[in-house]
Amino acid sequence: MTNPQRTVPAPKKVQLMATCLCDAFFDDVAVATVQVLEYLGVEVGFPADQTCCGQPAFNAGDWKASRKVVRHVVDTFKGEDPVVVPSGSCAAMLFHGALLEFENEPDLSEVKQLANRSWELLDYIVNGLGVREWPGSFPHRVSFHRSCHLRGTCSGPAAMNLMKSIDGLELATFGEAEQCCGFGGAFSVSHPNISARMGELKLEHIIAANPEYLVAADMGCLLHLGGIVDKSGIELPRLHVAQVLRDALVSANLLPAA
Amino acid sequence: MPTKTQQDIDRYARDLNPEVYTSVYGGTKATTEKRHDVLFHDYPDPDLLRRTAGEVKQHTLENLDTYLPKAEAALKANGAQVHFAADGDAANRIILEIMKANGAKSMVKSKSMVSEETGLGHFLEDNGMKCLETDLGEFIIQIDHDHPSHIVKPIAHKNRRDIAKSFEREGLGDYNDDPATITRRAREFLRGKYFEADVGLTGANFVSAESGRLAIVTNEGNARFCMAATPIHIGIVGIEKLIPHDRDLALFTSLIGRSGTGQHLTVYTQFINGPRRFGQPDGPEQMHVVFVDNKRTEVLASNCREILRCIRCGACLNVCPVYRQASGHAYRSVYPGPVGAVLSPLLAGTRFPELADLPKASSLCGACNEVCPVNIPIPDLLLRLRDKAKTEHAGRAMKGTPPMGMYGLLASQPHAWRAAMTMGAAMNLTPNAVMNIIPPAAAWNSCRQLPKWRGGKFRHWMKERGKN
């Protein structure tokens, strides 16, 4: 899966799609996203009518229900401003999944218009705004789980390179990094045994690398991996890349501490 | 800890024999690593090759009405006989008729997935013919009355101890699990059979429309024996195997070995475009090519037509985390893994609902697409089939998946959504005993813990900032 040809540059005014997972569980990830974007001089709008990207129903095979949600997204995120999402899978839903399920729909062009200005957060920062280095320090050993929705997009390398530029941050690589964590949305519930074993295998590799934090750019993966970790009582704190970037800024007094 | 599950593949994986898991996991992981090393060592940009190969195949499929008659004409001009089979039964009957017409009684058979699809071996046995598998893996499967679990390595689910036991049982020597001994004994047993057989059957990995040439890649040389030592050669070929020109073989033979087994080239690459000609020392006196449709034209007309690009290399199986956990037999069909999850329900025709759960057995991670030598967008096709299953009310597919109607309603009504976000906090107070009665929550909680609900907090933070 590749990002579509962008039809807009990356102006410094965006609409934030916080994602349903941040809305429900991970508010600090959304906060960090806003703080990081604002530090970069980006004006962040938050359309309050936003809900979800439509992916749960899309993956579950209920495209009728999913299209209803995507139409709402199109309505909510009108205009020309880029839509920035701190999640690879929700971004991919907007620029890839939605196009699939609207292939034969009369309003495909509106969905396309949204797709062409949808960005995953790190892709926007690195490839959109051209930010190559990050100030501040984060003196910790972290393992970065490259979520599957960053496969073939420019966001995975973007996240890695930006983190590598942070003072003191040490990347702990681990085995079979290309393998999925096992979340897969509805898959985690319909195929609980396979999903959990995939997660456990992933965690075995990560834990062997002995990181202080597990970092990803998608809270879906971290909801699942974190859920397994917490259930088994292992200590492994998780962070979204946006939180790492934010904490680095705080360490350099570029942002006030929370 | 084993968890209650409603999907067959998940149940299969849960109850899988640990030895099978170890064999499959170890083999697939090693092959994936080899594939990566070889492809990236040999080519600066293997992705470009994959995309090109995909485009060539897609072009051929979209112009089959030109390429198929072209291949037929070329083969006939070379002296081969060409047959077309609308379905698997027709293919089997054509092959039986060829044998009967020539007074043939026995066949040596090289590995062919399409013949698995038509059930050829059993059909011939039922009709009084002898049919001996000569690929080592397929031979073991035949003596075990088993069926293949992997496209390229049919006995990925067995280890050498299993095979040694089978050989001992079949009178092929005492128990000995040394791989070299197993191979030697199989070779000794099979050698004579090639010369005794009346017919040699092979599949084909590619057929050039330009020359009618069949390309057959193997690692054991058994296909070559089947063609060289028997008077009649039959090639059974799915119509999707066509490629436009002989020159395209350079691209496809480069990709198939590297993708499938991590070899630069397979050990034997065999070409045949007609029966033995005057002065040639070996080769069949008669050559027949049976082109099999068996729902392929229906697939071509569907929105999943890209799956017909597949060259059966097995790379998607090897890299697939679900296949690694579940093994091939979990897919209940001839083609396992990601490609099978798309192809098998489509080839099932009206029996689609019986296999409509297969596309659900994927986390949609996309690894299959990333390694596919013909760049098939497998995750997109899995999603299309999930939509088809839902639209056609294939109940089996929907088992265990939370119903999405309510979600669709909620997520398209912002007021209701915001209210639900706040009310979700009730979950923090709900005891696990209650949560575990709600099916999706129970399946989630069986192996994971949900974090604390914090719905509404971010929105509140945004609002507060607005006030400042």
Side-chain angles (χ1 to χ4, degrees), chain A residues 27 38 51 59 103 176 231, chain B residues 25 384 386 411 445 465:
Chain A
D27 48 309
E38 288 183 346
T51 54
N59 284 359
E103 225 164 20
E176 291 187 61
K231 181 119 186 164
Chain B
Y25 177 75
R384 287 190 169 135
R386 290 181 187 189
N445 288 350
R465 282 160 44 95

Side-chain angles (χ1 to χ4, degrees), chain A residues 172-257:
Chain A
T173 55
F174 52 91
E176 291 187 61
E178 86 290 351
Q179 287 272 306
C180 173
C181 72
F183 176 51
F187 172 78
S188 64
V189 174
S190 62
H191 293 70
N193 292 288
I194 298 177
S195 167
R197 279 196 205 149
M198 283 164 67
E200 284 156 10
L201 198 56
K202 177 110 254 168
L203 284 164
E204 262 175 44
H205 286 293
I206 291 169
I207 289 165
N210 196 27
E212 292 170 68
Y213 293 98
L214 170 58
V215 178
D218 203 311
M219 293 316 292
C221 311
L222 291 184
L223 177 81
H224 168 68
L225 289 175
I228 297 174
V229 164
D230 289 344
K231 181 119 186 164
S232 47
I234 307 162
E235 279 290 314
L236 180 62
R238 285 84 59 187
L239 289 175
H240 189 280
V241 183
Q243 291 170 302
V244 174
L245 299 182
R246 188 263 319 271
D247 291 354
L249 294 176
V250 171
S251 78
N253 295 320
L254 294 165
L255 261 186

Side-chain angles (χ1 to χ4, degrees), chain B residues 101-238:
Chain B
N102 289 283
K105 290 271 173 243
S106 66
M107 170 187 282
V108 277
K109 183 173 170 290
S110 172
K111 185 173 157 46
S112 142
M113 287 309 285
V114 69
S115 73
E116 293 290 335
E117 197 183 307
T118 67
L120 177 67
H122 294 297
F123 174 84
L124 291 179
E125 297 278 345
D126 291 347
N127 283 278
M129 300 290 173
K130 277 193 200 154
C131 174
L132 180 73
E133 298 284 350
T134 60
D135 171 275
L136 179 56
E138 295 281 346
F139 172 67
I140 292 160
I141 282 185
Q142 189 178 31
I143 61 177
D144 281 356
H145 307 287
D146 194 357
H147 57 101
S149 74
H150 194 288
I151 291 173
V152 171
K153 294 171 285 186
I155 51 166
H157 58 295
K158 290 183 197 287
N159 59 36
R160 60 197 164 94
R161 290 176 296 281
D162 299 329
I163 299 162
K165 279 181 220 154
S166 302
F167 271 41
E168 188 185 23
R169 189 194 61 223
E170 294 297 314
L172 290 161
D174 307 334
Y175 179 93
N176 188 325
D177 60 17
D178 166 43
T181 308
I182 290 173
T183 313
R184 186 174 42 76
R185 286 177 177 175
R187 184 183 292 148
E188 279 164 8
F189 176 79
L190 288 169
R191 274 291 156 96
K193 304 287 180 190
Y194 294 109
F195 296 100
E196 290 166 19
D198 306 311
V199 174
L201 180 128
T202 70
N205 295 87
F206 309 101
V207 179
S208 159
E210 181 183 22
S211 62
R213 187 164 275 121
L214 272 57
I216 302 147
V217 299
T218 72
N219 272 318
E220 297 173 19
N222 58 316
R224 184 177 185 159
F225 265 121
C226 287
M227 286 185 280
T230 54
I232 301 169
H233 170 231
I234 302 174
I236 180 169
V237 186

Side-chain angles (χ1 to χ4, degrees), chain B residues 70-93:
Chain B
K70 232 176 146 176
E72 180 191 12
L75 279 162
K76 281 183 174 165
N78 299 338
Q81 298 173 53
V82 180
H83 313 260
F84 291 94
D87 57 27
D89 282 345
N92 291 346
R93 272 187 276 109

Side-chain angles (χ1 to χ4, degrees), chain A residues 23-24 27 38 48 50-52 54 59 96 103 151 176 179-180 188 192-195 197 224 227 231, chain B residues 3 10 13 25 29 319 324 363 365 370 380 384 386 407 411 417-418 445 448-449 454-455 459 465:
Chain A
D23 206 354
D27 48 309
E38 288 183 346
Q50 64 180 274
T51 54
C52 175
N59 284 359
H96 182 80
E103 225 164 20
R151 214 181 273 280
E176 291 187 61
Q179 287 272 306
C180 173
S188 64
N193 292 288
I194 298 177
S195 167
R197 279 196 205 149
H224 168 68
K231 181 119 186 164
Chain B
T3 297
D10 196 51
Y25 177 75
K29 183 174 168 293
V319 79
R324 285 183 181 186
S363 62
C365 74
E370 203 169 62
D380 291 357
R384 287 190 169 135
R386 290 181 187 189
Y407 157 84
W417 179 269
R418 279 197 290 270
N445 288 350
R448 320 157 190 101
Q449 193 171 304
R454 296 177 58 88
R459 289 170 186 266
R465 282 160 44 95

